[in-house]
Amino acid sequence: MIEAFVQWFGDVAAIPGLIWLQQSYLGLVNGSVLVLMALGLTIIFGLLGITNFAHGAFYMLGAYVGWSLLRLIGNFWVAMAVVPLVGAMMGLVVERFLLAPTYRKKDADFLGILITFGLGLAAPDLVRWIYGNLGLPYVKPLPDPMFTIGNIPFSQYRFFLIVVAMTLCFCFWWLLQKTNLGMIIRAGTSDSPMVEILGIDVRRVWTLTFSIGVAIASFAGVLVGPILAVQPIMGVEILVQCFIVVIIGGLGSFWGAVVAGFGVGQILTLFPLLPHCSRLGDVVIFALAAMVLLTRPQGLFGQD
Amino acid sequence: MKRRTFLKTALAAGAGLAVSTGPWFLRHGLAESPIKYGVLIPLTGGLAELAADQKVATEIAIEEINASGGILGRSVELVLRDTEFNAAVARRKAIEALERDKINYFTGACSGFEEMTFADLAKKRGILYFNLPQFMLDNKKNFWKYSFGLNLTPFQTAAAGAKWAANHVKGDRWHLLADNYSWPKMWVPAYEHWAKVAHKNFTGVTWAPFPTNDYSTYIPQVRAKNPDVLFTVTWGSGQINLIKQMHEFGMAKQTKVLFGVSDIPWAMAAGAGSFEGMYAGMPWYWKLEDKYAASKEFNKKFFAKTKRMAAAYGQTAYETPKLLAEVTNEVKSMDPAKLRKALEGRKVQYLKSPTVIRPCDHAAVQECYFMKGKSKTDMSNRFDFFTVEQSVGGDDLLESCALKGLG
């Protein structure tokens, strides 16, 4: 067994540094998408207390709406800019007409889960019915690759994805920390009844927050369109990873979503590089989530 | 004549007249019922787009069969069942088709688990099963004397790619990137064997867990092997991603990328020009219409129904009922033993070059076609992804039956 480990260690040590660099770069890309998704999910839960099982579906719908707009307009950048607006509208409709009627009911939390779970199941079938089961081709908005280090190319579009995700994170942080709306959202996350007593129309804030969360998820969907297969089931795997991120980072925590998102992205991307460990990354993140739930259920950055 | 006798006679004569000249359903009810051709494929769920082509291709074949007199003088009726890409559903629907619908021919599958399920059922019931996707029943473990299939075997497809690469690509470093499950694993022995035969260095396999939708995390490992030829064995949405990512990560320019097997739906999903600079193996491609008139005729009918060109899965779905009709009419029986005797060693030709069904393992000895991907500007229409570079065939693409333990 020691020999096997020594052999394994030798194999790992033999992996060139540039390969590790490229892998980390890819981890940053994957982490960026997870951060965007987790931000939307965590803010929805933090304020509304809704575990949004339809989050992956909104991500998938963003990719499909983006594809449809691309066919209509012919310009990826314009389509990318419009998708979050469409996502926000979807969020508004879902929150107003499906979720809002359940807020004052006895089992509001459970009803919210049921409704979003149902949406998560129905959306892929609706998309299959309209677009078919086959993946949809996206254009390459930027030429490949951007630059090479050694003989290793680093993708231009993925670099763009990282920059956009980080910019959006900053904007989101600024919204939460520096605006009145952000102050209300943070206050509502801590004590929603108090915010209501102070005369703030929380219903409107909830609608807005849910819409923002869905807009971010759908934006993440259109961002990955050029690099991943756009298919009805594309939201399923990322939803699970997203929940892992918010569990580890903390439900309702901005920094939790960011740190855990990038961390999980790196784990999932670096482990396949290790010999015989390609699936171990999935095990590790689930194990981390379990440990956090046992030792610090509010998450690493969540409040007690 | 007594009155009763007269009435009875008149009644009998009247009934006979009604049967011979009456409504269709009466005549058929009392005469011969149509032959039921069963096809079980995933019309919903994963691979539904391939199943859609299988369905249309089968319909075309059955129309042609009926137009030329049917089977044993009887018309053929298609009995289509949706496996929902689920093993339990596939099994249940197959049993229903066999017991309730009483299908005369049992064919179908779009994937390995369906194939195994149906072959197992056929074996337990002692009936004929005709497989549509890649034929994986040609080994001692899975062989069933009444199972057949016109598609390539995994070993055969891999061997075709390796043989082509050995003869056409410089450099001796071969590497394989594949999904980690049973079907791609069946390809590895062929690559290893042909690497030895051609004095190439097979540097091994980078296994991506199945299902993987993003191969970006495995590409750096592949690059580290510095292959002259990179074989890939993937399917479905995974392949669509891989096609995109081969370009994105510069692999298409750095090395010769050969997709062991691909099909039109994946190329379309990846986008126009998606295979530029890369190669793919296929058992059939619609452009063979330039060489085979039958393919042209088939393409015309398929396009009229669907407004697109058929996937290679459409080819076997078309050829299978044609072959079964031909053989049944020849032996004048649907008895599995008689059909088996007629099928083994048979040379068939429909949409491509001739195929021979090897008696010992029922593998179809045939050609595999190698395509070179076209750029977006070179495509003459939205289906024109490839030029047919070369066909590779021969008995040497298959392992010997002795080696397989099949005598």
Side-chain angles (χ1 to χ4, degrees):
Chain A
M1 187 153 163
I2 295 173
E3 272 177 28
F5 178 75
V6 168
Q7 172 71 42
W8 178 87
F9 195 79
D11 290 341
V12 171
I15 297 171
L18 282 177
I19 299 293
W20 284 107
L21 182 66
Q22 189 181 34
Q23 207 77 355
S24 299
Y25 174 74
L26 294 171
L28 206 56
V29 175
N30 294 337
S32 299
V33 179
L34 283 174
V35 165
L36 287 180
M37 289 289 285
L39 277 177
L41 192 66
T42 208
I43 210 71
I44 287 171
F45 182 84
L47 183 63
L48 282 81
I50 294 172
T51 311
N52 183 14
F53 280 98
H55 209 58
F58 290 125
Y59 164 84
M60 179 268 295
L61 286 169
Y64 274 87
V65 168
W67 182 84
S68 299
L69 286 171
L70 190 55
R71 292 239 314 177
L72 205 66
I73 303 167
N75 186 302
F76 174 77
W77 308 111
V78 173
M80 194 184 78
V82 172
V83 160
L85 299 173
V86 176
M89 289 303 300
M90 282 193 288
L92 188 147
V93 167
V94 166
E95 196 278 338
R96 255 310 129 122
F97 296 104
L98 293 179
L99 294 171
T102 67
Y103 291 158
R104 302 274 181 224
K105 291 198 187 307
K106 197 175 121 194
D107 294 313
D109 292 344
F110 180 62
L111 288 172
I113 289 174
L114 266 186
I115 288 168
T116 58
F117 190 77
L119 276 175
L121 288 177
D125 279 338
L126 178 68
V127 163
R128 268 190 204 100
W129 183 56
I130 297 169
Y131 294 94
N133 210 42
L134 197 62
L136 297 177
Y138 258 71
V139 294
K140 278 191 301 190
L142 291 170
D144 305 312
M146 182 173 83
F147 56 87
T148 53
I149 298 178
N151 68 338
I152 300 186
F154 287 77
S155 163
Q156 189 161 199
Y157 183 75
R158 291 189 191 233
F159 182 77
F160 164 76
L161 198 155
I162 295 169
V163 168
V164 164
M166 287 190 174
T167 306
L168 204 59
C169 281
F170 173 77
C171 292
F172 201 69
W173 171 84
W174 188 85
L175 174 81
L176 288 178
Q177 298 296 328
K178 304 290 182 189
T179 65
N180 286 341
L181 174 63
M183 188 171 61
I184 292 168
I185 291 173
R186 282 185 289 120
T189 305
S190 297
D191 194 338
S192 184
M194 181 58 75
V195 171
E196 213 167 349
I197 287 168
L198 289 172
I200 292 168
D201 185 356
V202 283
R203 289 289 305 274
R204 205 175 274 190
V205 174
W206 290 344
T207 305
L208 192 60
T209 307
F210 193 87
S211 299
I212 291 171
V214 172
I216 296 174
S218 53
F219 183 62
V222 73
L223 271 184
V224 303
I227 56 173
L228 294 178
V230 174
Q231 288 194 300
I233 55 163
M234 65 186 283
V236 173
E237 191 178 352
I238 198 166
L239 181 66
V240 174
Q241 292 169 353
C242 204
F243 274 114
I244 298 285
V245 166
V246 296
I247 286 170
I248 294 172
L251 283 160
S253 165
F254 170 82
W255 286 112
V258 173
V259 172
F262 283 119
V264 167
Q266 286 296 330
I267 291 171
L268 289 174
T269 313
L270 289 174
F271 266 88
L273 202 53
L274 305 175
H276 314 296
C277 294
S278 52
R279 265 293 195 224
L280 203 56
D282 291 328
V283 175
V284 166
I285 61 171
F286 275 99
L288 275 173
M291 268 168 46
V292 165
L293 282 172
L294 286 169
T295 56
R296 194 181 156 83
Q298 68 272 32
L300 297 177
F301 293 81
Q303 294 169 354
D304 280 329
Chain B
M1 184 189 279
K2 285 184 181 172
R3 196 171 70 112
R4 264 190 201 171
T5 310
F6 171 75
L7 283 172
K8 279 183 199 171
T9 311
L11 201 62
L17 202 65
V19 164
S20 61
T21 59
W24 166 89
F25 55 87
L26 271 182
R27 277 181 278 133
H28 277 272
L30 291 168
E32 296 191 273
S33 52
I35 285 185
K36 293 185 177 180
Y37 185 87
V39 178
L40 289 99
I41 47 180
L43 295 168
T44 56
L47 301 186
E49 49 282 328
L50 289 182
D53 281 18
Q54 289 176 315
K55 172 181 171 275
V56 174
T58 306
E59 285 168 352
I60 293 170
I62 287 177
E63 281 165 13
E64 289 178 3
I65 293 166
N66 283 337
S68 53
I71 296 178
L72 301 176
R74 293 156 67 180
S75 64
V76 181
E77 178 190 315
L78 174 61
V79 176
L80 195 60
R81 292 290 174 262
D82 181 8
T83 65
E84 299 174 26
F85 204 61
N86 178 294
V89 174
R91 187 173 199 88
R92 177 170 55 82
K93 295 277 180 89
I95 291 171
E96 282 172 10
L98 290 164
E99 292 180 3
R100 190 186 63 194
D101 302 313
K102 304 236 186 294
I103 53 175
N104 301 103
Y105 293 102
F106 179 26
T107 78
C110 204
S111 65
F113 72 83
E114 290 165 321
E115 181 174 346
M116 296 302 161
T117 302
F118 297 153
D120 181 58
L121 267 175
K123 194 172 184 177
K124 287 184 171 133
R125 288 159 189 260
I127 58 175
L128 192 87
Y129 165 65
F130 222 107
N131 187 59
L132 299 180
Q134 286 234 314
F135 192 62
M136 299 195 285
L137 306 170
D138 64 320
N139 52 76
K140 194 171 181 184
K141 185 184 167 197
N142 299 318
F143 181 74
W144 164 231
K145 62 182 179 179
Y146 295 145
S147 283
F148 292 87
L150 288 173
N151 211 321
L152 297 158
T153 71
F155 186 99
Q156 193 180 17
T157 325
K163 190 175 174 181
W164 179 84
N167 292 327
H168 291 89
V169 184
K170 285 184 188 159
D172 67 347
R173 292 180 66 81
W174 287 5
H175 194 73
L176 172 64
L177 170 62
D179 287 339
N180 192 1
Y181 67 106
S182 54
W183 176 62
K185 285 181 177 172
M186 293 179 177
W187 295 53
V188 178
Y191 289 126
E192 288 172 338
H193 167 75
W194 277 92
K196 273 196 201 122
V197 164
H199 307 292
K200 303 293 183 185
N201 176 16
F202 183 60
T203 57
V205 189
T206 297
W207 291 111
F210 181 72
T212 292
N213 276 324
D214 184 2
Y215 292 87
S216 59
T217 49
Y218 302 97
I219 291 173
Q221 299 171 59
V222 170
R223 174 169 280 110
K225 297 291 182 183
N226 196 24
D228 297 301
V229 179
L230 174 64
F231 299 101
T232 77
V233 181
T234 55
W235 201 237
S237 61
Q239 185 171 117
I240 298 166
N241 281 324
L242 188 59
I243 294 166
K244 290 182 179 181
Q245 288 165 5
M246 285 285 111
H247 288 291
E248 191 191 350
F249 289 88
M251 294 302 294
K253 287 190 176 132
Q254 180 183 323
T255 186
K256 280 274 187 293
V257 179
L258 173 54
F259 284 80
V261 68
S262 187
D263 216 335
I264 288 290
W266 316 141
M268 289 183 71
S274 52
F275 267 93
E276 183 182 357
M278 300 194 290
Y279 297 81
M282 288 186 195
W284 179 84
Y285 177 54
W286 69 272
K287 270 296 236 178
L288 289 174
E289 66 175 16
D290 294 341
K291 199 171 175 187
Y292 301 105
S295 275
K296 191 164 189 164
E297 192 55 32
F298 170 72
N299 287 340
K300 213 165 100 183
K301 288 179 182 176
F302 194 94
F303 192 84
K305 283 179 182 270
T306 61
K307 298 290 174 273
R308 65 175 190 274
M309 289 303 181
Y313 269 38
Q315 171 238 337
T316 46
Y318 171 83
E319 293 187 349
T320 297
K322 299 281 278 187
L323 173 60
L324 284 170
E326 186 183 298
V327 169
T328 307
N329 283 335
E330 188 180 290
V331 303
K332 295 185 175 34
S333 170
M334 286 188 279
D335 176 70
K338 288 184 180 170
L339 289 175
R340 176 194 176 189
K341 200 169 165 194
L343 284 166
E344 286 178 348
R346 192 178 193 88
K347 185 175 175 181
V348 301
Q349 184 175 12
Y350 297 105
L351 301 181
K352 58 186 274 188
S353 54
T355 296
V356 175
I357 298 173
R358 201 159 76 164
C360 60
D361 59 359
H362 299 176
V365 183
Q366 59 184 294
E367 287 186 329
C368 183
Y369 297 94
F370 280 91
M371 318 288 173
K372 185 174 180 183
K374 287 183 169 181
S375 67
K376 192 175 172 181
T377 44
D378 287 342
M379 289 174 63
S380 61
N381 60 54
R382 62 192 177 102
F383 312 104
D384 187 22
F385 284 89
F386 303 101
T387 46
V388 182
E389 274 277 285
Q390 193 172 7
S391 62
V392 179
D395 208 28
D396 61 344
L397 297 184
L398 289 162
E399 289 171 300
S400 71
C401 284
L403 207 67
K404 291 188 200 180
L406 288 170

